[in-house]
Amino acid sequence: MRGTISPLRFRKSLISHAVSLLAVFIFAYPVLWILLASVKPEVQIYREPLRLFPSVWDFSIFSRLFSSAPIATYLANSLLYSIGAVVISLSFALCAAYGLSRHQFRGKQLLLILILVVQMIPALVTVIPLYLLMKTIGLYDSRIGMVLLYSALRIPWGIWILVGFLDQIPMALDEAAYIDGAGQWTILQKVILPLAIPGLASAAIFTFVGTWNEFAIASIILRSTENLSIPIGSLAMIAADPNDWRLIAATATVNLLPVLAVFSLLQKNIIAGLTRGAVKE
Amino acid sequence: MAESRSSKERLLRFAKGPGPFIIPAIVILLGMRAFPFFWQFFLSMTNMRLGTEGSFIGLQNYRFIFSNPSFFQSIGYTMIFLIATVAGQMLIGLALALLLDEDFKGKSIYRIFFLIPWIVSGLVVGILWQLMLVETPFGLLNALLIRLGRSPVAWLSVASNARVSVIIVYIWKGLGFSMILLSSGLKTVPVELLESADIDGASYLQKLIKVKIPMMKDIISVNLIFAVIASLNSYETVYVLTSGGPGGATSIIALLMFQTAFGDRSQLGRGAAIGVIMFLINLILVLIYVRKVRFGKGVTA
């Protein structure tokens, strides 16, 4: 009987597909709609709002968007903030994770718990002191300040992901290198770093996407047009032209595409990392 | 004497061993994450405004907040919002996780689509749903209603509708996270238990309630705490959708903090008091998580 599908199983899988497709429609239709609205002829947005695919593909809005608005600056800034946060926060986090994973010392458990507590309380609740802090140290409304702030805020999360990862690398490797006369920094660079790359990659994806999408803190720290990140700049552009749906859709598309690209390329790592971040295996 | 020498030795060992690796990160965390918590307590007892130093006023901000009707409206809606968004995300997330636990082709592709709203930024979700819910005939949902021969709905301009709309948007955005967590929880349910339930003639629903859910208790608590924290501290989506309106009807507490501190009157001290209240709620949730879930069973790092 193997190879034949029983009618009951066939009906069950049919229902599964039907429910899944309905859910896909609810989740993906709005996102797809806004992406496609940017390349529709304007009348179609208003005359046939439910229509998904454009009759004619018209990409002119993007040339208008990039020529009239400082959106290229916003994109460059967001890249700087996101990549800066990835590099700086993960450098500090990797060092700290090395120290925490490779050594036993008094108070280590307490330190790990404190880092976890700090990580889980969103920085958003301290937006007011952070604003005053940035003003006091002269980094308010500056690109460097934004990179440093994002990096600092991401460190505890990086430590937690990486400690879990480094704990799985056998200590015997460290010991072998130590016997060969390697110091700690050499061991970290030559032994741990190459093996930690999958963990670093997973942490990098989350840090990148999280920073790219961050709105609340940037909205308080950034003021000048030349410093705005893509979400803050987008909102300013939309507020200036709230009735041009095609422009709004195009702006949203520029926000969305990098994240969707990262997600579609790396969705397996993202799904695995999501679970790992919440539950200790 | 022996005691102090041994602690000196310990310090030396720490300085030669993990110290140089850990200390830089700890210093940054103390300055940028821990210090603001403490500073905010102090700020919350001043009447500081944007551009003024402010002076110490004791607990007046708290007294004001707890006697202010708009704060109570905000707290009331925040509670409803938290319960409804978290329940909606977890129930629909569980339904989808159960669906993906079935054996059928192409489910890994469906799963990617289910996750899309979660990956979209809060700002874009706000913009997206603004266009969906706009009350002119070319707003997507109203166009759909008109097509079906129904009359259009004032999704965002009537208080009671706006309250529900905001909740639906947050459920839409957040349930992919619940789905992934609960999916991984379903995978940990031992097959033998389900098989023996089958032999006992248990129905699908009985297996779910008596076997699967009890086995997933831990992951459900994790999901619950993460979802509550995410909803409690969300700001930009509702800011874009309604700015807390109409008439403060959808002003969740995070939005109230921002608007108090950085709105027209820029009362930083009073905003800080709301920040302290939010901090304490978050802290309680995190401590429950740390105690019960992470370190509950003698997990060693």
Side-chain angles (χ1 to χ4, degrees):
Chain A
M1 289 308 278
R2 281 193 92 175
T4 56
I5 303 168
S6 71
L8 184 72
R9 271 200 61 192
F10 180 71
R11 215 177 63 197
K12 255 182 90 176
S13 88
L14 209 63
I15 295 172
S16 300
H17 280 290
V19 178
S20 301
L21 283 172
L22 178 72
V24 166
F25 180 78
I26 295 171
F27 293 132
Y29 188 88
V31 179
L32 216 55
W33 187 89
I34 205 165
L35 291 175
L36 291 169
S38 62
V39 292
K40 264 181 214 167
E42 190 145 19
V43 282
Q44 258 171 30
I45 297 179
Y46 303 110
R47 290 258 178 83
E48 309 165 73
L50 292 176
R51 184 188 183 123
L52 191 58
F53 289 99
S55 58
V56 205
W57 295 71
D58 174 8
F59 290 90
S60 63
I61 186 73
F62 289 101
S63 56
R64 216 183 95 201
L65 188 64
F66 277 90
S67 64
S68 68
I71 196 161
T73 310
Y74 304 152
L75 279 170
N77 288 340
S78 268
L79 271 179
L80 171 74
Y81 301 150
S82 305
I83 294 174
V86 168
V87 173
I88 299 175
S89 76
L90 290 184
S91 305
F92 281 98
L94 180 67
C95 288
Y98 173 80
L100 286 162
S101 164
R102 269 25 201 175
H103 292 276
Q104 295 303 327
F105 55 90
R106 224 181 178 186
K108 174 174 144 174
Q109 193 71 0
L110 182 68
L111 188 60
L112 276 167
I113 293 175
L114 285 176
I115 293 172
L116 179 66
V117 170
V118 165
Q119 173 219 320
M120 281 189 69
I121 297 178
L124 177 126
V125 305
T126 54
V127 66
I128 296 162
L130 284 176
Y131 164 81
L132 293 170
L133 183 68
M134 296 301 273
K135 282 216 145 167
T136 311
I137 58 181
L139 291 175
Y140 171 75
D141 192 23
S142 85
R143 293 198 184 102
I144 306 253
M146 199 70 244
V147 170
L148 294 180
L149 183 56
Y150 275 150
S151 305
L153 299 183
R154 288 280 163 180
I155 288 175
W157 186 83
I159 294 177
W160 259 95
I161 288 284
L162 291 173
V163 164
F165 210 85
L166 297 195
D167 277 347
Q168 286 166 13
I169 300 173
M171 279 292 271
L173 295 177
D174 299 47
E175 282 151 15
Y178 181 73
I179 290 166
D180 289 346
Q184 286 198 92
W185 291 100
T186 319
I187 293 175
L188 176 58
Q189 273 177 44
K190 297 273 161 67
V191 181
I192 302 293
L193 183 62
L195 291 169
I197 283 179
L200 283 168
S202 151
I205 301 166
F206 278 85
T207 306
F208 184 88
V209 173
T211 314
W212 185 272
N213 284 347
E214 206 285 327
F215 181 91
I217 290 171
S219 76
I220 298 305
I221 301 297
L222 303 174
R223 271 289 156 273
S224 328
T225 305
E226 72 261 24
N227 294 336
L228 297 186
S229 64
I230 188 80
I232 311 300
S234 298
L235 194 62
M237 279 161 50
I238 289 170
D241 215 343
N243 292 317
D244 190 342
W245 280 31
R246 225 155 65 102
L247 193 77
I248 295 174
T251 311
T253 302
V254 172
N255 275 267
L256 261 171
L257 279 183
V259 173
L260 286 179
V262 169
F263 179 59
S264 53
L265 289 174
L266 303 165
Q267 41 93 11
K268 278 223 174 79
N269 308 35
I270 291 178
I271 290 169
L274 204 98
T275 324
R276 203 181 316 128
V279 193
K280 187 157 183 162
E281 278 156 8
Chain B
M1 273 294 130
E3 179 77 50
S4 80
R5 189 158 16 136
S6 81
S7 78
K8 208 178 269 170
E9 263 167 28
R10 229 177 1 240
L11 207 66
L12 206 66
R13 235 185 26 231
F14 183 76
K16 279 188 181 160
F21 295 91
I22 300 174
I23 288 167
I26 298 300
V27 169
I28 296 173
L29 290 187
L30 285 175
M32 306 292 267
R33 298 289 331 247
F35 168 66
F37 293 143
F38 298 105
W39 196 10
Q40 180 147 266
F41 274 102
F42 171 74
L43 289 171
S44 75
M45 290 184 257
T46 69
N47 58 3
M48 184 192 266
R49 289 179 177 220
L50 223 54
T52 69
E53 280 294 304
S55 48
F56 186 81
I57 54 166
L59 295 175
Q60 264 184 49
N61 283 326
Y62 293 94
R63 235 174 268 142
F64 175 85
I65 286 169
F66 284 109
S67 61
N68 181 347
S70 76
F71 180 76
F72 274 107
Q73 185 185 16
S74 170
I75 285 290
Y77 180 64
T78 304
M79 300 272 259
I80 296 167
F81 169 83
L82 285 180
I83 294 169
T85 54
V86 171
Q89 286 171 9
M90 289 185 69
L91 286 175
I92 302 173
L94 179 65
L96 290 178
L98 287 167
L99 176 69
L100 293 179
D101 210 36
E102 297 291 318
D103 198 18
F104 63 103
K105 279 214 181 77
K107 63 179 186 178
S108 58
I109 294 169
Y110 289 130
R111 184 173 65 174
I112 297 170
F113 279 105
F114 298 168
L115 255 184
I116 284 179
W118 181 76
I119 205 87
V120 174
S121 75
L123 171 80
V124 173
V125 170
I127 295 171
L128 197 61
W129 280 87
Q130 183 86 53
L131 298 188
M132 304 271 295
L133 297 173
V134 135
E135 286 156 23
T136 54
F138 41 84
L140 240 64
L141 279 180
N142 277 349
L144 186 67
L145 286 177
I146 292 168
R147 173 75 61 86
L148 296 173
R150 312 282 288 270
S151 46
V153 171
W155 297 104
L156 295 173
S157 62
V158 172
S160 56
N161 292 353
R163 288 197 177 106
V164 177
S165 298
V166 167
I167 287 169
I168 291 172
V169 172
Y170 273 89
I171 292 177
W172 181 85
K173 175 163 175 46
L175 64 80
F177 177 75
S178 291
M179 175 195 72
I180 294 294
L181 274 192
L182 297 173
S183 262
S184 75
L186 279 172
K187 290 203 188 85
T188 64
V189 178
V191 185
E192 305 83 59
L193 278 183
L194 294 173
E195 278 168 355
S196 70
D198 274 334
I199 292 167
D200 294 341
S203 69
Y204 185 83
L205 203 62
Q206 280 172 325
K207 273 192 290 186
L208 176 64
I209 293 169
K210 296 258 168 71
V211 183
K212 289 179 183 170
I213 288 179
M215 292 300 294
M216 291 163 65
K217 225 172 46 204
D218 280 349
I219 212 143
I220 289 173
S221 343
V222 172
N223 190 174
L224 185 70
I225 291 172
F226 273 71
V228 173
I229 290 178
S231 276
L232 176 66
N233 300 290
S234 53
Y235 159 70
E236 62 259 34
T237 306
V238 67
Y239 171 67
V240 174
L241 269 179
T242 66
S243 299
T250 57
S251 171
I252 52 178
I253 188 167
L255 192 64
L256 187 71
M257 175 180 76
F258 270 78
Q259 287 176 338
T260 308
F262 302 105
D264 295 337
R265 294 162 71 194
S266 61
Q267 293 160 314
L268 292 173
R270 196 171 286 166
I274 302 175
V276 168
I277 295 167
M278 287 183 70
F279 166 73
L280 293 175
I281 302 171
N282 276 297
L283 184 66
I284 292 168
L285 291 164
V286 172
L287 290 179
I288 294 172
Y289 171 77
V290 169
R291 255 192 82 97
K292 282 216 160 164
V293 186
R294 279 270 183 175
F295 297 93
K297 286 159 207 130
V299 179
T300 49

